[in-house]
Amino acid sequence: MKTIVATGALAAALAGWALPAQAQTPSLLDPVLHGQLERWLGAGELQLDNIYTRQTGHFATDFHAAADGKGDTFTLMQVSDDQGGSWLVGGYNPVSWSTTDGWHIAASQWERTAFIFNYTDPQVLRPVPVTHSLPSQGAKLTYNWPDHGPTFGQGPDLFVSEDLSSTLSWQLTYGDPALQGRSLIDGTYGGQLRRIDALEVYSVAVIPEPHTWAMLAGGLGVVGWAARRRKAQGAARS
C-alpha cells in the first residue's frame, strides 16, 4: 500500500510553485454551495463563518493560527492546472485543527464523519468503512502539524503544502478502495500537483430548529420563575 509523505522530493517540487494573490472578493462560498454543504453534511441548517482566507505570503502557520481549536470546519479551495482546468474542492473536518496532534484517528465507524469533496465535478468521498478488509485504511482522517496546511487522509487524499500554494490528491483513506491512487481533483493517478488559487476555511455551527428555540426559551422561563419564587419565599421568611 502506497503512502505519500510530504517531505523530501515532494517538498522540493512544491518549492517551485509561485503563490498567486487571492482576491478579497468574491468568496468561494455562495448560497448554492452553502446549501450543497448542508445536504452533504446532513446535520440541518448551518451557520458557516469565514475564519481564514489565504493571503500572499501566508504559510501553514497562518492557517493554523486562525483555524486551530475552532471546532469542526469546512475547507474550500479553488484549484487549477497548467491546461486551464479549474476545480472547487475541499473537505469537512469534524475535529479542531491542531499543530501538535499529528494524525486524528477514528477507530470506530461512528467517528468517521469527515469527508472530502469536489464541487465542480460533483462527488463526495467518505472514509473507508471499518467493514473493509483492512479496517484501519479509513482511520487517519486528518494530519495536524505546523508544516502542513489543511490535509485530509493518509494518501494524502487532499494535501496542502506548507506555503499553501499547492495541493495533490491520492485517494487512500477516503472513497472506494478499488480506486486507490485516484485524484479527487481531476481523476488522474500518481499524485499530480495542482495550483491553489484560493483557500478559505469556515467554522461550522448547526442552527437549531424553531421548536428547539421554543423549548429552550420555555426552559429558561421555568428556571427564571423558580429563581424568583425562591427569592420571594426567602424574603417572606425573613
Side-chain angles (χ1 to χ4, degrees), residues 106-109 112 114 125-141 157 171-178 180:
S108 303
Q109 185 61 43
R112 298 185 182 185
L125 303 183
R126 301 185 186 274
V128 173
V130 296
T131 53
H132 181 54
S133 58
L134 185 62
S136 63
Q137 186 168 336
K140 293 181 176 179
L141 301 184
D157 297 56
Q171 185 176 323
L172 180 66
T173 300
Y174 294 83
D176 184 350
Q180 181 176 313

Side-chain angles (χ1 to χ4, degrees), residues 110-146:
W110 65 267
E111 297 176 288
R112 298 185 182 185
T113 56
F115 59 88
I116 57 177
F117 60 86
N118 184 325
Y119 181 64
T120 304
D121 299 323
Q123 60 176 315
V124 178
L125 303 183
R126 301 185 186 274
V128 173
V130 296
T131 53
H132 181 54
S133 58
L134 185 62
S136 63
Q137 186 168 336
K140 293 181 176 179
L141 301 184
T142 61
Y143 188 67
N144 298 264
W145 210 246

Side-chain angles (χ1 to χ4, degrees), residues 15-218:
W17 287 64
L19 179 65
Q22 177 166 336
Q24 294 297 310
T25 56
S27 168
L28 295 178
L29 183 66
D30 62 22
V32 178
L33 175 55
H34 189 135
Q36 183 61 75
L37 295 176
E38 288 180 336
R39 289 187 289 275
W40 281 337
L41 185 57
E45 187 177 356
L46 301 177
Q47 178 175 325
L48 303 179
D49 294 325
N50 184 303
I51 58 173
Y52 178 70
T53 297
R54 188 201 64 186
Q55 302 296 331
T56 302
H58 276 195
F59 283 83
T61 49
D62 297 291
F63 149 71
H64 283 291
D68 286 4
K70 297 297 177 63
D72 49 342
T73 54
F74 277 111
T75 296
L76 304 178
M77 295 189 290
Q78 191 71 48
V79 176
S80 62
D81 61 18
D82 292 336
Q83 289 71 49
S86 181
W87 301 267
L88 181 54
V89 301
Y92 169 69
N93 179 11
V95 182
S96 291
W97 292 104
S98 167
T99 57
T100 59
D101 291 355
W103 290 110
H104 280 167
I105 296 176
S108 303
Q109 185 61 43
W110 65 267
E111 297 176 288
R112 298 185 182 185
T113 56
F115 59 88
I116 57 177
F117 60 86
N118 184 325
Y119 181 64
T120 304
D121 299 323
Q123 60 176 315
V124 178
L125 303 183
R126 301 185 186 274
V128 173
V130 296
T131 53
H132 181 54
S133 58
L134 185 62
S136 63
Q137 186 168 336
K140 293 181 176 179
L141 301 184
T142 61
Y143 188 67
N144 298 264
W145 210 246
D147 61 354
H148 280 59
T151 296
F152 294 80
Q154 190 177 2
D157 297 56
L158 193 61
F159 161 78
V160 175
S161 63
E162 183 177 10
D163 66 0
L164 309 180
S165 69
S166 306
T167 183
L168 61 81
S169 176
W170 203 94
Q171 185 176 323
L172 180 66
T173 300
Y174 294 83
D176 184 350
L179 299 177
Q180 181 176 313
R182 185 176 184 269
S183 171
L184 166 75
I185 299 168
D186 56 11
T188 58
Y189 285 82
Q192 303 297 317
L193 290 174
R194 299 293 179 245
R195 182 182 301 104
I196 298 175
D197 300 314
L199 187 155
E200 298 171 356
V201 180
Y202 289 81
S203 64
V204 180
V206 178
I207 300 175
E209 298 285 346
H211 71 273
T212 304
W213 284 116
M215 291 175 63
L216 177 60

